Amino acid sequence: MPETTRERLTSGGWKELEFSPFRDAVTIHWIRPFEGDQPGVALLKYEPGASVPRHRHEGLETILVLDGVQSDETGDYISGSYIVNAPGSEHSVWSDTGCMVLIQWDRPVKILEEEIA
């Protein structure tokens, strides 16, 4: 039996889930929070214009874009895109249009630049 499930994520099932604040204009729905040395799995919802400042991946990160467009310094990733960010890689992330992503982190990221208020 699966530990947890989320129905119809690729067809908008995420719209029925509850989200909590994560960063400015980015909210999170934890599917499996970090526990000990176990990876974290979540849905991140970016409002139009939202961003996450430059950060370093302390472990492997994988992302599936479920809706909208997520961007970083290397390109724009449309719905259906699958992204793998290697341990030690750095980037910032934003979404001009807003997006929903399914993300798994081996370890929490380290924020390198905080947004200036």
Side-chain angles (χ1 to χ4, degrees):
M1 290 293 291
E3 175 184 308
T4 185
T5 62
R6 299 296 184 276
E7 301 290 329
R8 304 177 295 109
L9 289 182
T10 59
S11 61
W14 49 268
K15 295 174 184 174
E16 301 166 13
L17 301 173
E18 291 188 30
F19 286 78
S20 304
F22 183 67
R23 297 201 64 83
D24 188 34
V26 181
T27 54
I28 190 165
H29 171 84
W30 284 104
I31 294 173
R32 188 173 201 286
F34 290 105
E35 188 176 307
D37 64 351
Q38 297 300 305
V41 181
L43 294 163
L44 291 181
K45 180 169 38 174
Y46 289 72
E47 297 301 325
S51 64
V52 174
R54 188 163 190 83
H55 55 278
R56 180 175 47 249
H57 297 281
E58 301 296 317
L60 184 71
E61 175 189 74
T62 61
I63 298 168
L64 176 62
V65 180
L66 298 173
D67 189 58
V69 180
Q70 185 184 66
S71 302
D72 69 9
E73 292 85 355
T74 61
D76 299 319
Y77 308 101
I78 62 171
S79 181
S81 297
Y82 181 71
I83 304 121
V84 176
N85 291 305
S89 63
E90 298 179 7
H91 66 156
S92 55
V93 179
W94 63 90
S95 181
D96 292 335
T97 61
C99 67
M100 174 63 59
V101 301
L102 173 64
I103 186 166
Q104 179 171 330
W105 302 276
D106 280 352
R107 307 238 183 305
V109 300
K110 178 175 175 54
I111 300 294
L112 302 174
E113 299 175 4
E114 282 297 336
E115 298 162 325
I116 299 172

